[in-house]
Amino acid sequence: MTGDLFADRALCGTTLPLGAHARVLRGFALAHVDALWPGLQAVIAKAPLRHMVTPGGQRMSVALTNCGALGWVSDRRGYRYAPLDPDSGRPWPALPVPWLELARGAAEAAGFADFTPDACLINRYAPGARMGLHQDRDERHLSHPIVSVSLGVPAVFLWGGLRRIDRTERVTLLHGDVAVWGGVDRLRFHGIAPLRQAHHPLTGAQRINVTLRRAG
Ligand code: SIN
Ligand code: FE2
């Protein structure tokens, strides 16, 4: 993986535009990983990662959990945000302050001032796990951006248009990259191709995605 490490360093600090109001901030989270990692572990200890079921009855290949006032959940009744962890009946763990600061900083760097997330979804991809094309549209107000942080093994982000049938661009997201989209790009279809087998020193064979949103 030395090739990837080199690419990582070469891209770090650059911005990849994905649309008028969408971009990937390469390596934006790298300097924060030491501050972000303990909070992530603490959240997972209190609200373990689990495989939810889609409204159609399929087990998601991604394991997920949440922190913050609201958590994204899926079951036979549909997708929604919920204040309580359905597994424990307790509120989701608090959103760690370093995650809030990263979200605000990344949103600002992408042109969205004063972003204050109240929902943080943590997705864990093992080799082969994927996320089908979808829009993020369960949030109450679509005026706030999405801030999506990649950690660990690289993944191919599928970046589509406003219609499901629009062609998708394939963008490799590396450890420390932050994708931000809002405004006219807020409802762009997106997904993750099946995760390839690889190794990362921090996460082993896995990829972790942390998505920060204002849902309520
Ligand atoms: C998502 O769209 O919820 C996840 C995207 C990602 O894993 O990068
Ligand atoms: Fe999404």
Coordinates of all heavy atoms in Angstrom, one line a residue, residues 131 134-136 181 190 213, ligand 2:
M131 N -22.8 0.6 -0.1 CA -24.0 1.3 0.1 C -24.6 1.7 -1.2 O -23.9 2.3 -2.0 CB -23.7 2.6 1.0 CG -24.9 3.3 1.3 SD -25.1 4.2 2.8 CE -24.2 3.4 4.0
H134 N -28.3 6.4 -3.1 CA -29.5 7.0 -2.4 C -29.3 8.5 -2.3 O -28.2 9.0 -2.5 CB -29.6 6.4 -1.0 CG -28.4 6.8 -0.1 ND1 -27.2 6.1 -0.2 CD2 -28.2 7.8 0.8 CE1 -26.3 6.7 0.6 NE2 -26.9 7.7 1.2
Q135 N -30.3 9.2 -1.9 CA -30.2 10.6 -1.5 C -30.4 10.7 0.0 O -31.0 9.9 0.6 CB -31.4 11.4 -2.1 CG -31.4 11.5 -3.6 CD -32.8 12.0 -4.1 OE1 -33.8 11.5 -3.9 NE2 -32.7 13.2 -4.8
D136 N -29.7 11.7 0.6 CA -29.9 12.0 2.0 C -31.1 13.0 2.1 O -30.9 14.2 1.8 CB -28.6 12.7 2.6 CG -27.5 11.7 2.8 OD1 -27.6 10.5 2.3 OD2 -26.5 12.1 3.4
W181 N -21.3 18.3 0.9 CA -22.2 18.8 -0.1 C -23.5 19.4 0.4 O -24.0 19.0 1.5 CB -22.6 17.6 -1.1 CG -23.3 16.4 -0.6 CD1 -24.6 16.2 -0.6 CD2 -22.7 15.3 0.0 NE1 -25.0 15.0 -0.1 CE2 -23.8 14.4 0.3 CE3 -21.4 14.9 0.3 CZ2 -23.6 13.1 0.9 CZ3 -21.2 13.6 1.0 CH2 -22.3 12.8 1.2
H190 N -25.8 9.3 -4.2 CA -24.5 8.9 -3.9 C -24.5 7.5 -3.3 O -25.5 7.1 -2.8 CB -23.8 9.9 -3.0 CG -24.5 10.1 -1.7 ND1 -25.6 10.9 -1.6 CD2 -24.3 9.5 -0.5 CE1 -26.0 10.9 -0.3 NE2 -25.3 10.0 0.4
R213 N -24.7 15.7 10.3 CA -25.8 16.3 9.7 C -26.6 17.2 10.7 O -26.5 16.9 11.9 CB -26.8 15.3 9.1 CG -26.2 14.3 8.1 CD -27.3 13.5 7.5 NE -26.8 12.5 6.5 CZ -26.7 11.2 6.8 NH1 -27.1 10.7 7.9 NH2 -26.3 10.4 5.8
Ligands
FE2_2 FE -25.8 9.2 2.2

